[in-house]
Amino acid sequence: MDASTNFEEIGVQIARKCKGLPLVAMALGSVLHRKCTQEEWRSVLENELWDLPSDRNVFLTLMLSYMHLPAHLQKCFAYCSIFPQNYEFEVDKLVLLWMAEGFIQPVGSQRLEDLGSEYFNDLYLRSFFKQCKSTSNKTKYKMHDIIHDMARLVSKDVRFHAKYTMPNCYPLFGNACHLSLLHLGVQPLELKASQKNERLRTFLVMSNSAAPNGGEVDPQLFLNLQFLRVLDLSRLGLTELPGSIDKLKYLRYLNLSENPILSLPESMCKLVALQTLKLRNCSRLRELPKNTRNLTNLRHLDLDIRGMQLQFMPLQFGRLTSLQTLSAFIIGRKKGHGIEELKNMNCLRGSLCIKNIEYVSNVRDAMEANIGMKTHLDRLELQWRQLRDGLDSQLLNRTRTEQAQVFANLQPHENLKELIVKNYCGVIYPDWLSESWRGFTSIHLQGLKYCDDLPALGQLPFLKSFVISDMPCLVYVGHTFYGTTNSTVKFPSLESFELRGMSMLIHWRNESDSVMPCLNNFTIHDCPNLISLPPELQALMPISNISNCPNLQLLP
């Protein structure tokens, strides 16, 4: 009998013991996939867990899968038990927590974040997580109730989960390493100091909705928990953070998102181990601590660019060269707060918004920002402050030429996919915007009040989405918009096209035989003077996509 036949026979016997339960079959399949010898397969078949009563087979089979996990995956899996049942996990967020706890072991020069994603994928393939439907665009995952129960069982000696009812009434957590506290969000939260616990590494306060303003944290709390690695105080109605935060010298992850916090204590800059700082939707926060530059191990600074009141980045912010996540960089007027601080921040990835570009008067400073060296950026938003013709007329006249040169020197890397340009106050587009080898898939131009034409985007081969809005000097669209390359097809990949707030646009003419063959969404809104559109675009445009265009003459 050959080896393959032996494997098949053992596999059939194991399959019978699954008794038609898919969860068990998936769990065992993940285990067997990594077993290479007949002896290893037989050890799974003959494991004593099979001999226990049948109603416990599912749970105990999954326990068998857990016992066959490598040690690092066991830690990561057990850690997930601090979240409640049916919690929707986002991979990126979970990986940052694993990093802060030290569960992710470095391998060569590979990013810890990438290794953490591999950890999660390994657990997913072994059926410890399942993908779930989500209302957001992000992929989310859940644990099956039985698997969550198992995670709670294997972590019962180090995990504690409780509900917050009133100040100082959450239970003493003994020797727990990881504590999660569920706050219902119906009253301000007061976190009082309880007992000293040198073992506690995680303190998560989770709330289903934002708490009323007035939440408080007892300064003594941080003195009692000096070995914390992870602290999540998001959505608790906090207006300030105690200065004793600096006692958490091992802290690597701090989440203060969705709090009406007015300022952050300067003592926070002593948290030199900090890797992740989350400040999303802290709409009342006006500035970061002055010595933020001392947080040299910071890898992720998560800010919300919408509704944010930050006026500028702290002095010498460019020293944070380990930063990978930086939602927004706000340019200041003074030296040490300029765009050139981005020079050595070449680890940035994902999305970056650069605000207050009108303050960049020295073209060389824009060049020194080295935007083209940010090879991992996918999305770039270039944002000028909206200038008022009367009050800012002198500044406006001076900046029109300068800003055209500044814009040209903010040339991104060819890997960039999405570009947003807002309130650009120049009149000339940079050449790089129309280069046919660019990989742009989405471009949004908004508030370009002094440009009287559109860039030549028809030659971009991968552009799928284009939005233009609020361009009052644009009167006519003609052949220049379609590009100068020899390609017979213009906008070959464009699927969605929107025009909004084009108050002076009158004529739109198409001078190419083949335009936008993939277009399936064409929207025109608030173009009151528009008279003509190319027949090809009219044929693709449902009437429901036209609004406030009273003079538009459609073909019968």
Side-chain angles (χ1 to χ4, degrees):
M1 185 179 294
D2 59 23
S4 61
T5 304
N6 287 336
F7 273 109
E8 184 176 346
E9 285 188 356
I10 300 171
V12 169
Q13 294 179 63
I14 292 175
R16 287 174 184 158
K17 297 203 173 190
C18 291
K19 297 184 178 180
L21 296 171
L23 206 59
V24 178
M26 287 190 295
L28 280 178
S30 296
V31 172
L32 294 174
H33 179 69
R34 291 162 177 81
K35 305 298 182 185
C36 301
T37 67
Q38 294 180 37
E39 289 74 16
E40 289 177 313
W41 278 48
R42 287 191 183 280
S43 72
V44 174
L45 175 64
E46 296 169 359
N47 191 286
E48 61 182 5
L49 296 180
W50 291 110
D51 299 325
L52 293 169
S54 58
D55 60 342
R56 302 177 65 188
N57 271 352
V58 173
F59 187 77
L60 293 172
T61 301
L62 291 170
M63 283 295 295
L64 177 64
S65 298
Y66 168 78
M67 289 190 298
H68 281 84
L69 286 176
H72 63 279
L73 292 185
Q74 287 185 354
K75 291 180 181 179
C76 292
F77 169 72
Y79 186 79
C80 296
S81 65
I82 63 175
F83 296 94
Q85 278 193 348
N86 294 316
Y87 182 83
E88 294 185 354
F89 292 92
E90 293 181 32
V91 178
D92 294 344
K93 294 180 179 179
L94 184 58
V95 166
L96 294 181
L97 293 172
W98 288 346
M99 278 176 48
E101 300 292 353
F103 296 157
I104 302 175
Q105 300 304 313
V107 177
S109 60
Q110 192 171 1
R111 291 172 67 239
L112 293 178
E113 292 83 355
D114 292 338
L115 283 169
S117 295
E118 291 178 9
Y119 285 14
F120 183 89
N121 191 51
D122 204 346
L123 289 170
Y124 174 69
L125 293 176
R126 295 171 188 254
S127 305
F128 287 97
F129 292 92
K130 61 179 182 179
Q131 193 170 329
C132 64
K133 294 181 180 179
S134 176
T135 55
S136 67
N137 294 327
K138 293 185 177 180
T139 304
K140 295 187 178 182
Y141 300 83
K142 284 185 178 181
M143 281 183 164
H144 190 283
D145 289 351
I146 295 176
I147 293 179
H148 188 270
D149 289 343
M150 181 178 66
R152 291 176 60 192
L153 178 64
V154 299
S155 63
K156 62 183 177 64
D157 294 329
V158 296
R159 170 200 55 82
F160 201 98
H161 179 71
K163 289 185 179 180
Y164 174 92
T165 53
M166 62 183 66
N168 214 24
C169 284
Y170 50 92
L172 301 179
F173 33 81
N175 291 321
C177 291
H178 310 294
L179 170 68
S180 59
L181 191 64
L182 180 60
H183 178 241
L184 299 179
V186 295
Q187 58 183 341
L189 179 138
E190 297 179 42
L191 286 178
K192 302 290 186 181
S194 53
Q195 70 181 58
K196 191 168 185 177
N197 185 346
E198 295 183 351
R199 292 193 64 195
L200 197 67
R201 299 294 184 268
T202 306
F203 192 6
L204 302 181
V205 185
M206 292 180 289
S207 178
N208 294 328
S209 59
N213 293 0
E216 295 182 9
V217 177
D218 183 353
Q220 187 67 31
L221 180 68
F222 297 148
L223 301 180
N224 287 355
L225 306 174
Q226 293 186 25
F227 291 87
L228 276 181
R229 265 65 168 175
V230 170
L231 179 61
D232 190 332
L233 300 176
S234 58
R235 312 180 79 183
L236 301 183
L238 302 178
T239 56
E240 62 179 356
L241 193 67
S244 58
I245 187 74
D246 65 340
K247 302 304 180 183
L248 305 180
K249 59 182 179 180
Y250 299 101
L251 195 67
R252 296 174 182 166
Y253 179 102
L254 177 59
N255 189 354
L256 299 172
S257 298
E258 299 188 55
N259 280 305
I261 200 159
L262 301 174
S263 62
L264 297 171
E266 193 64 33
S267 61
M268 222 178 77
C269 299
K270 297 180 181 179
L271 301 176
V272 294
L274 198 65
Q275 297 173 337
T276 300
L277 176 59
K278 289 181 172 287
L279 298 169
R280 293 195 68 81
N281 201 22
C282 293
S283 57
R284 300 178 68 182
L285 184 65
R286 299 188 65 86
E287 61 180 351
L288 296 174
K290 294 179 180 179
N291 291 306
T292 299
R293 62 183 181 273
N294 293 338
L295 301 176
T296 52
N297 284 307
L298 196 64
R299 300 163 73 96
H300 304 280
L301 177 56
D302 196 359
L303 303 165
D304 192 351
I305 62 174
R306 297 174 184 174
M308 184 173 58
Q309 295 192 39
L310 288 181
Q311 304 298 307
F312 50 81
M313 307 312 283
L315 187 67
Q316 297 179 347
F317 188 80
R319 287 172 54 177
L320 304 182
T321 55
S322 295
L323 269 183
Q324 299 176 23
T325 300
L326 179 62
S327 312
F329 182 90
I330 302 96
I331 301 169
R333 292 177 180 270
K334 297 181 180 179
K335 185 175 178 59
H337 301 275
I339 194 172
E340 65 275 12
E341 290 296 313
L342 289 169
K343 178 178 181 178
N344 296 316
M345 303 177 75
N346 294 331
C347 294
L348 293 176
R349 57 182 58 230
S351 177
L352 171 65
C353 173
I354 305 177
K355 303 183 69 173
N356 295 350
I357 299 178
E358 72 281 355
Y359 289 154
V360 184
S361 57
N362 189 329
V363 177
R364 181 175 295 178
D365 290 345
M367 185 179 297
E368 286 188 1
N370 280 341
I371 301 301
M373 296 299 292
K374 284 47 169 173
T375 59
H376 300 292
L377 283 180
D378 300 317
R379 180 182 184 273
L380 177 64
E381 181 171 336
L382 302 176
Q383 192 174 123
W384 285 255
R385 185 167 55 91
Q386 198 167 23
L387 300 179
R388 296 162 293 180
D389 290 343
L391 297 177
D392 295 317
S393 58
Q394 184 176 0
L395 175 63
L396 182 61
N397 291 332
R398 178 174 60 82
T399 59
R400 282 179 178 171
T401 302
E402 289 176 350
Q403 291 306 310
Q405 296 174 313
V406 167
F407 195 0
N409 283 326
L410 295 178
Q411 178 175 343
H413 191 269
E414 62 187 58
N415 293 343
L416 193 77
K417 301 301 181 187
E418 185 175 354
L419 177 68
I420 301 96
V421 180
K422 291 185 178 181
N423 302 323
Y424 169 53
C425 50
V427 296
I428 301 173
Y429 297 106
D431 291 339
W432 56 259
L433 185 58
S434 303
E435 290 169 334
S436 59
W437 48 267
R438 288 275 169 186
F440 295 128
T441 59
S442 174
I443 293 178
H444 185 166
L445 306 178
Q446 176 182 333
L448 280 62
K449 293 190 174 181
Y450 310 103
C451 294
D452 59 5
D453 63 355
L454 293 175
L457 302 182
Q459 54 206 25
L460 296 177
F462 307 109
L463 188 65
K464 293 183 178 181
S465 173
F466 181 44
V467 179
I468 52 175
S469 58
D470 191 18
M471 293 182 63
C473 288
L474 185 66
V475 177
Y476 173 80
V477 177
H479 69 278
T480 57
F481 177 51
Y482 298 96
T484 58
T485 62
N486 295 326
S487 174
T488 56
V489 181
K490 306 299 183 182
F491 295 98
S493 301
L494 196 67
E495 299 174 359
S496 177
F497 191 3
E498 295 185 27
L499 291 84
R500 298 183 180 276
M502 314 298 283
S503 58
M504 299 304 295
L505 182 62
I506 298 175
H507 291 292
W508 187 299
R509 293 203 174 110
N510 178 11
E511 301 183 21
S512 177
D513 294 333
S514 182
V515 177
M516 308 179 190
C518 298
L519 193 68
N520 54 46
N521 177 30
F522 186 29
T523 300
I524 302 180
H525 173 70
D526 197 17
C527 301
N529 292 302
L530 183 61
I531 295 174
S532 65
L533 278 176
E536 295 84 356
L537 295 182
Q538 292 192 37
L540 292 168
M541 181 178 57
I543 296 299
S544 59
N545 282 358
I546 303 176
S547 59
N548 197 20
C549 301
N551 295 313
L552 183 59
Q553 300 173 7
L554 296 175
L555 295 174

